[in-house]
């Protein structure tokens, strides 16, 4: 691939400063993508952000407006699918999905293209569908990307996520069976043909949680493969969060139930167990289901008699 038929896909709602950081990173790509497709979820201000940062020469930007339901839950799966459908219709043959918080290293696009070439078209090519994941490092709060000069600070500012493999640049390592559930959508690539073959993200998932593991399960069930790609680094810009993500309890329960119905087991059990310890959810072993905890009545305190001081005064 020569970079002219690769599309980077980004879904976004808010996080305008983070989007500017990503745009600055993409503009410095050694091998810029042909398209940057941005799916704006209920956010009409995205076009103004894009206008504030010039694109790399040869990169065409496309903005999609994706509506948000009345309950406010972001349609993450549907937005990714809309961006992928648009990119494929434009002629893209490699899709690079990049979370809005992620700033790509200069070699990210090229590393994904080279990995796909090697695995898909090289000697002894691996049959699809295939997912390619590069390492993501989390930046500390004091490292921000406001201008091109800030990009030079990123490589030494944070280490990659400790739970995920980090191959050397140029290495492409096939994931082991136990590593399937380490797949995430922060940064990954897939050929347009493979995306079409497994159907993209299941749009029954809305809001936070579960849709990434569902993709991994879908590709694994189809006999596909997951690869760790050295050199496809991305840098995750800091934003406030909570651990466990108690603000997303309802979405995690809802999406977890969708996943359980589709695959017969519950994802995100680490978070669910923490929620249970906090009294937020309950688990029914008979039905193997997690539900929101039933509010428990707190007994009213016993009526207290007059204090010792009051009794002393009365006597």
């Amino acid at each position: 691939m020569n970079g002219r038929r690769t599309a980077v896909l980004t879904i976004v709602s808010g996080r305008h400063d983070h989007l500017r950081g990503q745009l600055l990173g993409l503009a410095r790509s050694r091998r810029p993508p042909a398209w940057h497709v941005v799916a704006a979820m209920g956010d009409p201000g995205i076009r103004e952000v894009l206008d504030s940062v010039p694109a790399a020469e040869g990169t065409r930007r496309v903005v999609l407006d994706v509506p948000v339901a009345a309950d406010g839950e972001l349609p993450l799966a549907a937005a990714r699918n809309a961006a992928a459908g648009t990119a494929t219709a434009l002629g893209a043959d490699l899709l690079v999905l990049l979370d809005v918080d992620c700033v790509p290293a200069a070699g990210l696009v090229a590393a994904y293209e080279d990995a796909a070439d090697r695995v898909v078209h090289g000697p002894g090519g691996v049959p699809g569908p295939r997912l390619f994941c590069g390492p993501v490092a989390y930046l500390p709060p004091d490292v921000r990307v406001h201008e091109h000069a800030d990009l030079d600070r990123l490589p030494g500012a944070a280490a990659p996520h400790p739970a995920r493999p980090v191959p050397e640049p140029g290495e492409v390592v096939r994931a082991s069976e136990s590593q399937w559930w380490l797949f995430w959508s922060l940064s990954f690539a897939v050929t347009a043909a493979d995306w079409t073959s497994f159907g993209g993200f299941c749009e029954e998932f809305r809001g936070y949680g579960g849709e990434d593991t569902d993709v991994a399960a879908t590709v694994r069930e189809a006999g596909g493969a997951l690869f760790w790609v050295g050199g496809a680094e991305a840098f995750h810009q800091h934003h406030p969060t909570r651990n466990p993500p108690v603000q997303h309890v309802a979405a995690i329960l809802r999406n977890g139930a969708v996943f359980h119905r589709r695959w017969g087991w519950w994802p995100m059990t680490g978070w669910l167990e923490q929620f249970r310890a906090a009294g937020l959810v309950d688990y029914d072993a008979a039905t193997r289901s997690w539900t929101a905890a039933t509010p428990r009545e707190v007994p009213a305190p016993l009526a207290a008699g007059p204090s010792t001081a009051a009794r002393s005064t009365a006597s």
Side-chain angles (χ1 to χ4, degrees), residues 30 104-112 133-135 165-172 228-235:
R30 289 199 295 268
L108 178 142
V109 173
Y112 275 138
C133 285
V166 184
E168 292 296 319
E171 287 187 331
V172 181
W228 310 113
V229 180
E233 292 95 352
F235 304 97

Side-chain angles (χ1 to χ4, degrees), residues 5 8 27 38-39 54 68 70 82 127 148 155-156 159 216 219 237 254 256 269 274 295:
R5 298 186 65 192
V8 171
V38 180
V68 175
H148 284 285
V219 173
Q237 301 168 92
R254 183 184 62 246
T269 51
Q274 292 180 69

Side-chain angles (χ1 to χ4, degrees), residues 4-21:
R4 295 303 83 201
R5 298 186 65 192
T6 295
V8 171
L9 316 180
T10 304
I11 64 173
V12 58
S13 180
R15 305 275 174 88
H16 291 184
D17 286 344
H18 287 184
L19 178 58
R20 287 189 186 92

Side-chain angles (χ1 to χ4, degrees), residues 63-259:
V63 181
L64 309 177
D65 293 309
V66 179
V68 175
D71 62 6
E73 291 284 12
L74 294 178
L76 307 180
R80 292 189 183 104
N81 289 346
T86 295
T88 301
L90 289 169
D93 53 23
L94 183 70
L95 310 176
V96 176
L97 284 85
L98 198 61
D99 188 271
V100 67
D101 299 325
C102 289
V103 178
L108 178 142
V109 173
Y112 275 138
E113 289 176 346
D114 294 343
D117 274 345
R118 186 185 313 178
V119 170
V120 176
H121 304 297
V126 177
R130 294 138 299 204
L131 301 172
F132 301 91
C133 285
V136 178
Y138 281 74
L139 297 170
D142 61 334
V143 177
R144 303 285 183 174
V145 182
H146 298 298
E147 55 188 26
H148 284 285
D150 294 330
L151 298 171
D152 297 330
R153 301 176 58 198
L154 304 188
H161 194 291
R164 288 171 170 80
V166 184
E168 292 296 319
E171 287 187 331
V172 181
V173 180
R174 185 166 183 168
S176 65
E177 179 64 21
S178 65
Q179 291 175 332
W180 270 104
W181 316 121
L182 298 179
F183 169 77
W184 57 1
S185 61
L186 282 178
S187 172
F188 78 100
V190 59
T191 67
D194 282 353
W195 177 280
T196 301
S197 74
F198 71 79
F201 284 80
C202 173
E203 295 188 14
E204 290 185 70
F205 292 88
R206 293 189 307 110
Y208 189 85
E211 78 277 11
D212 289 2
T213 309
D214 184 81
V215 165
T218 299
V219 173
R220 177 177 175 270
E221 181 74 11
L226 172 65
F227 294 90
W228 310 113
V229 180
E233 292 95 352
F235 304 97
H236 187 279
Q237 301 168 92
H238 177 81
H239 59 79
T241 187
R242 302 172 73 178
N243 188 22
V246 294
Q247 71 274 29
H248 297 301
V249 169
I252 287 171
L253 284 173
R254 183 184 62 246
N255 288 341
V258 171
F259 187 97

